[in-house]
Amino acid sequence: MTGLSWIPCPRLVALGCSLAGCALPALQAQQTPDLTWPAPSPIVYGAALTALQLDASSTIPGTFAYIPAAGTILPAGPQTLSVTFTPTDSTDYTSATTSVPLTVNQATPTISWGGLAPIQYGTALSVQLHAKSSVPGTFVYSPPAGTILPAGAQTLSVTFTPTDSANYAAATATDTLSVNKAMPALAWATPTPISYGTPVTTTQENATANVDGAFRYSQPLGWIPKAGSHPFAAYFTPTDTADYYSTATASVTLVVNQAGSGLTWPAPAPIAYSTALSAAQLNATATIPGAFAYTPALGTILPAGPQTLSVTFTPTDTVDYSSSTV
């Protein structure tokens, strides 16, 4: 028999027996079980050990005791798993141990960042930089807070550095922010009223903008508006049409008052009682066409003493000129 040795039988020796082959078998040594345990695939930090990693096997029945045990969460880095196998047949087999390497990779933090509402050009970045992570750490944004982005679709990025840099890797994320064009801000004070006959100048056409550009007005310089209220528009085209809407408008109302008639009437020379009023006394003039109505009327004979003569002038153009009395 393989693995056995033969020794002389003491009883037969005592009896003088010397038969060849008279022997008893010695006790056989315990065998060490064969264990099979392939190195497990890498896992990510945060994943608990399961039967996927703790899967050693043997050709004989028995129990496995793993270190670390199932459910353990190992730190990131190279780790060693070990197992002790206790065979059910502890008479013929000894316990056995073995180990395998396991790589625990760093976990990548989850970054949540989205729902960026559009902003208007000229608005500095602030509340848009609000990314969050599943673990503590610090965020570095590009572009940083306070940056004023040009109009259009802009890409924002963030780099997250976890506080636990041993078990977590740095992570990055991006988001898109829509920057709408801005409307230039125009200012135009209501012009002081003018009188009919006064041409429009830069005193009236004096709108301003908060950015560089050019103005065009609904009426040209030198225009003489009729008496009344006139809506006045200004059209502004910014130099920077990439960030500002191409045209902005403003409006005011220009009040044009009626002009005077230029009525003049020099005091007439004294006359003698019984002299009828004539064109020598009733000789008022105006700078524009119209009609004169005198009181007292032409041909009246006034009593002796100081008298008051009056005239009311009604212009032919009653829209642009006012009536006058002297």
Side-chain angles (χ1 to χ4, degrees):
M1 295 178 64
T2 303
L4 298 180
S5 60
W6 294 91
I7 59 174
C9 177
R11 291 184 66 187
L12 294 177
V13 170
L15 296 174
C17 177
S18 59
L19 295 174
C22 180
L24 292 176
L27 293 176
Q28 185 179 18
Q30 287 180 310
Q31 293 187 17
T32 300
D34 291 327
L35 299 182
T36 301
W37 193 6
S41 299
I43 61 173
V44 175
Y45 171 73
L49 293 176
T50 68
L52 291 176
Q53 295 80 41
L54 309 180
D55 60 348
S57 62
S58 177
T59 57
I60 63 173
T63 57
F64 296 89
Y66 294 94
I67 298 176
T72 301
I73 296 177
L74 296 173
Q79 305 295 334
T80 299
L81 309 180
S82 64
V83 64
T84 297
F85 175 71
T86 302
T88 304
D89 180 1
S90 58
T91 300
D92 298 319
Y93 295 93
T94 64
S95 296
T97 61
T98 190
S99 62
V100 292
L102 172 66
T103 299
V104 181
N105 293 325
Q106 288 180 314
T108 300
T110 299
I111 298 177
S112 57
W113 189 20
L116 300 183
I119 61 173
Q120 181 176 288
Y121 172 72
T123 303
L125 291 178
S126 60
V127 297
Q128 296 76 33
L129 310 181
H130 61 251
K132 296 180 180 179
S133 176
S134 55
V135 297
T138 57
F139 295 90
V140 176
Y141 294 92
S142 179
T147 300
I148 295 178
L149 296 172
Q154 304 297 331
T155 299
L156 308 182
S157 63
V158 63
T159 298
F160 175 72
T161 302
T163 302
D164 180 3
S165 58
N167 293 315
Y168 291 94
T172 60
T174 60
D175 209 339
T176 299
L177 173 66
S178 294
V179 181
N180 296 329
K181 289 184 177 183
M183 181 66 70
L186 306 185
W188 193 6
T190 300
T192 301
I194 61 174
S195 295
Y196 171 72
T198 303
V200 169
T201 68
T202 54
T203 301
Q204 291 78 41
E205 295 184 350
N206 60 353
T208 59
N210 64 334
V211 295
D212 293 334
F215 280 97
R216 178 177 60 85
Y217 292 89
S218 57
Q219 297 296 339
L221 289 172
W223 173 58
I224 299 177
K226 297 181 73 64
S229 296
H230 297 271
F232 228 120
Y235 308 97
F236 178 74
T237 300
T239 302
D240 178 5
T241 56
D243 296 319
Y244 291 94
Y245 288 109
S246 58
T247 301
T249 61
S251 61
V252 294
T253 298
L254 174 64
V255 174
V256 180
N257 294 325
Q258 288 180 316
S261 61
L263 181 63
T264 59
W265 193 6
I271 60 174
Y273 171 69
S274 76
T275 301
L277 293 175
S278 67
Q281 296 81 38
L282 309 181
N283 59 353
T285 60
T287 56
I288 59 173
F292 297 91
Y294 292 95
T295 301
L298 184 73
T300 300
I301 297 175
L302 297 173
Q307 304 296 327
T308 298
L309 307 180
S310 66
V311 64
T312 297
F313 176 75
T314 302
T316 303
D317 179 1
T318 57
V319 175
D320 296 321
Y321 295 94
S322 60
S323 297
S324 303
T325 299
V326 296

